[in-house]
Amino acid sequence: EHWQVVFSAVVSLGLIGEKSAMGTLVETLDSEVELVVQSAITALSQIDEPAAIEPVLRFADHPDVMMRARVCTALGNMAADGTAMAALRRLEQDPEPAVADCARRAILNKTVKF
């Protein structure tokens, strides 16, 4: 299947972490396959680029619980940023306990460094 090739490429781009892949990953966020979109969100969090935060935030209000949880995890892995922290504070109030817990863990990840 075509989506499986795209999924594999997105995962690989995230693991490589090259900033030049950001445009391709942002385009992949428009995929109709949620697994591909979730993978692109994760891959963007693996690139050390503050500009990757805004595209990820598009999914903070997604109706799917897993998508919102993926956003929390991604934001927690990204560089400390006021916009990301504000989104995590809002997601901490999510009515779905799994999302709220994920946001709390991401906030803790951002504030406690050993």
Side-chain angles (χ1 to χ4, degrees), residues 51-110:
I53 293 171
E54 201 61 41
V56 168
L57 289 177
R58 284 181 24 201
F59 298 91
D61 295 317
H62 195 277
D64 183 69
V65 171
M66 293 302 297
M67 191 72 78
R68 294 194 312 276
R70 183 69 60 116
V71 168
C72 292
T73 301
L75 292 174
N77 291 334
M78 294 173 140
D81 173 87
T83 304
M85 189 59 86
L88 286 169
R89 291 283 182 208
R90 190 171 49 78
L91 285 162
E92 190 178 26
Q93 306 304 316
D94 195 282
E96 177 59 48
V99 175
D101 288 344
C102 193
R104 279 190 280 283
R105 284 193 306 277
I107 290 167
L108 185 63
N109 184 45
K110 289 181 125 0

Side-chain angles (χ1 to χ4, degrees), residues 7 10 25 28-44 58-59 62 67 70:
F7 171 79
V10 166
L25 292 171
T28 308
L29 292 173
D30 293 328
S31 173
E32 294 179 10
V33 179
E34 281 200 10
L35 185 59
V36 170
V37 175
Q38 289 178 10
S39 300
I41 289 169
T42 298
L44 284 166
R58 284 181 24 201
F59 298 91
H62 195 277
M67 191 72 78
R70 183 69 60 116

